[in-house]
Amino acid sequence: TGLQVSGAAPVNPAPIYLGGIVQNATAINNNTLVAAYLADGKLALSSKINLTLSTGTYYFKGMDLSGGSSITIAGKVDILVEGGITINGGSSLNASGEASRLSIVVSTTSELKFNGGGALAACVYAPYSDLKLTGNALLGGHYFVRTAAVSGTGNLLQSGEALPVAAWIRWISRTVRARAASQRTSRNPV
């Protein structure tokens, strides 16, 4: 009885209408808690800045984490981004936390770039965005994106709620070794 399909069934989910979500997030958010790190609405962290986002909703025009900066999550956090996300240079977002505690929604056509030892654990809904994972980056959680490209030593893990300790330790040791090698090279130019 009913329709029977043999083989793989095509999946063509319609994206969630994000217009109302964007409108609500622009009007009601917790951005005053991170105002010092916003430039034209974009969250930008560098130079080993450590930031904690407490429970709430945050609205950014983009996110750029570099230079060993990190964001930890305290409570359930929702982030709406109208732009791209870049995490690199040994930076991390919720890397030691539970992926289900951080929801990221990207409402525009953009790039999600993770490289250079960047790490993220989150549930990401970005139906119009292209995910690019390269250069020793480590992602955990759940990702709904338009396209995904993994190359080099990029790692995408589905291991439950958090990045596995062994992977996290490997990621830290690789990042530390790479930084040490970079420092040795900069001190002893050829």
Side-chain angles (χ1 to χ4, degrees):
T1 64
L3 177 65
Q4 294 183 355
V5 178
S6 62
V11 176
N12 190 11
I16 297 169
Y17 174 68
L18 297 173
I21 295 170
V22 170
Q23 187 175 14
N24 289 339
T26 57
I28 303 169
N29 59 57
N30 296 79
N31 284 13
T32 56
L33 301 174
V34 295
Y37 303 104
L38 296 176
D40 296 323
K42 182 177 183 178
L43 181 70
L45 299 179
S46 62
S47 302
K48 298 185 181 181
I49 292 174
N50 297 311
L51 178 66
T52 298
L53 296 180
S54 59
T55 299
T57 299
Y58 298 84
Y59 166 77
F60 304 129
K61 291 284 189 177
M63 294 180 73
D64 188 4
L65 281 66
S66 63
S69 59
S70 68
I71 298 177
T72 56
I73 303 302
K76 176 69 174 108
V77 171
D78 298 314
I79 299 175
L80 178 80
V81 182
E82 270 194 296
I85 297 174
T86 300
I87 300 178
N88 63 29
S91 297
S92 64
L93 173 53
N94 193 40
S96 61
E98 298 174 357
S100 64
R101 306 290 280 162
L102 176 60
S103 297
I104 299 175
V105 175
V106 181
S107 64
T108 57
T109 301
S110 58
E111 284 188 334
L112 311 178
K113 295 186 287 188
F114 306 95
N115 57 45
L120 169 66
C123 296
V124 176
Y125 181 76
Y128 310 110
S129 299
D130 300 316
L131 184 140
K132 294 182 179 178
L133 176 61
T134 63
N136 206 25
L138 179 63
L139 300 183
H142 305 276
Y143 296 82
F144 183 94
V145 295
R146 184 174 68 156
T147 65
V150 180
S151 65
T153 56
N155 296 285
L156 183 59
L157 307 172
Q158 172 46 45
S159 60
E161 278 298 308
L163 295 175
V165 173
W168 184 237
I169 290 170
R170 279 193 310 270
W171 176 83
I172 289 170
S173 66
R174 282 188 296 210
T175 302
V176 168
R177 281 194 309 268
R179 282 187 188 156
S182 174
Q183 289 173 351
R184 281 192 304 270
T185 303
S186 66
R187 286 187 206 135
N188 301 317
V190 178

